[in-house]
Amino acid sequence: MAAEQGIRIADDGVAEVSMTDARANLTPLIRDVRYGGRTAAFTERGRRSAYVVPAEFYEQAVRDRAIIDELHRRTQDPGVGDSYDEADSRTIRDAIHAAALAVDS
C-alpha cells in the first residue's frame, strides 16, 4: 500500500486511512487485512474511530470475551449451578484483575 493512496502505516503497524480517503482505498485496505493479516483503522480528525481486523482475529476476540464474561458470571454467584465456592471465585476474580492490570500497564 503506497502512501500516495491515502493509507499510512502507523508506528504500531496498523494501516490507517482517513474517512475522507476511505472510499478510494477500501479495496486495497481490506485486501491487506484479509491477505496480509494487518489490522487497519479508519480515522477522523487524526483519531482512530473504527478498526478492520482479519475474521479469525474477530472470532477469537468474541470467544475470549465470552470466556471472560462467563468467568465474571461464575464469580458473582458461586455455587449456583457450579462447583465453585467462594475461595475459587475470589481466585478467579484476583486472576482477572491481575491480568487486566498487566494488559493496561
Side-chain angles (χ1 to χ4, degrees):
M1 288 186 294
E4 60 269 13
Q5 290 178 308
I7 299 171
R8 78 171 200 87
I9 306 303
D11 291 340
D12 62 0
V14 174
E16 294 183 336
V17 64
S18 71
M19 292 299 285
T20 304
D21 296 330
R23 180 176 292 199
N25 292 289
L26 193 56
T27 298
L29 189 72
I30 290 175
R31 283 188 180 138
D32 196 42
V33 169
R34 182 175 183 193
Y35 300 113
R38 182 187 304 276
T39 298
F42 295 110
T43 61
E44 291 182 278
R45 296 180 181 90
R47 293 181 48 123
R48 293 178 182 172
S49 59
Y51 288 89
V52 180
V53 296
E56 298 81 17
F57 179 93
Y58 175 79
E59 290 162 0
Q60 184 65 49
V62 168
R63 183 177 185 280
D64 292 348
R65 182 73 241 180
I67 290 168
I68 291 168
D69 289 347
E70 179 61 17
L71 287 171
H72 277 292
R73 186 196 64 75
R74 288 180 182 216
T75 64
Q76 299 304 309
D77 297 315
V80 179
D82 298 319
S83 59
Y84 290 16
D85 61 13
E86 185 56 41
D88 291 333
S89 294
R90 190 175 321 109
T91 300
I92 292 169
R93 279 193 306 271
D94 291 347
I96 291 170
H97 180 71
L101 288 175
V103 167
D104 291 342
S105 63

